Amino acid sequence: MISGEFNSKGELIFEIGLIAADGDVITVKALLDTGFTGWLAIDNQDADSLGWIFTNQQEEMETARGDAWFNLYAGTVLFDGEELIIAVLGGEQLPNILLGVRWLERKRLVVDFPAGVLTLG
């Protein structure tokens, strides 16, 4: 189980590890976006700098700004002590790394704002 935090906007933030192709683990804060139906979304530049493999596929997704095309990468993450290879959407000018609701198929989300409790595991 991983503990998260609420940011100043009340968004749900979790720390995860992104594993680069050379094995380095980069710890980042990712925002849980319940409107995003994938596993992970990241800026294309970040995915490329990690050395993640572009699958030569693109996927169209509906976003808050309208329909957009995303590159599909195979990325490796360290999540709750587990190393996983997942499908990662790479987009242009993504200000945040996003965790999608696919994680809720594997992990239980507990959100208790009054008690300040946020866990995923």
Side-chain angles (χ1 to χ4, degrees):
M1 172 175 25
I2 59 174
S3 294
E5 61 187 44
F6 304 104
N7 69 11
S8 62
K9 296 179 189 176
E11 295 169 322
L12 313 179
I13 306 296
F14 292 94
E15 220 172 66
I16 62 169
L18 306 178
I19 302 175
D22 65 5
D24 284 346
V25 178
I26 293 90
T27 303
V28 297
K29 293 186 181 218
L31 184 146
L32 180 65
D33 181 351
T34 58
F36 169 44
T37 58
W39 289 100
L40 188 77
I42 192 169
D43 192 274
N44 284 322
Q45 284 185 323
D46 294 332
D48 291 335
S49 70
L50 289 163
W52 286 355
I53 298 169
F54 173 57
T55 64
N56 291 323
Q57 295 178 344
Q58 290 193 322
E59 188 169 323
E60 185 176 21
M61 297 284 293
E62 186 176 333
T63 71
R65 295 184 224 162
D67 291 343
W69 284 93
F70 291 85
N71 293 329
L72 191 58
Y73 293 88
T76 307
V77 297
L78 186 61
F79 194 92
D80 195 17
E82 192 176 358
E83 191 173 308
L84 302 162
I85 298 172
I86 58 170
V88 177
L89 296 180
E92 295 297 323
Q93 299 177 349
L94 291 180
N96 296 303
I97 295 171
L98 302 178
L99 297 171
V101 294
R102 292 289 305 266
W103 290 106
L104 302 182
E105 294 173 4
R106 298 178 55 101
K107 305 288 182 182
R108 180 173 179 250
L109 176 65
V110 176
V111 180
D112 187 339
F113 277 98
V117 174
L118 176 61
T119 61
L120 188 57

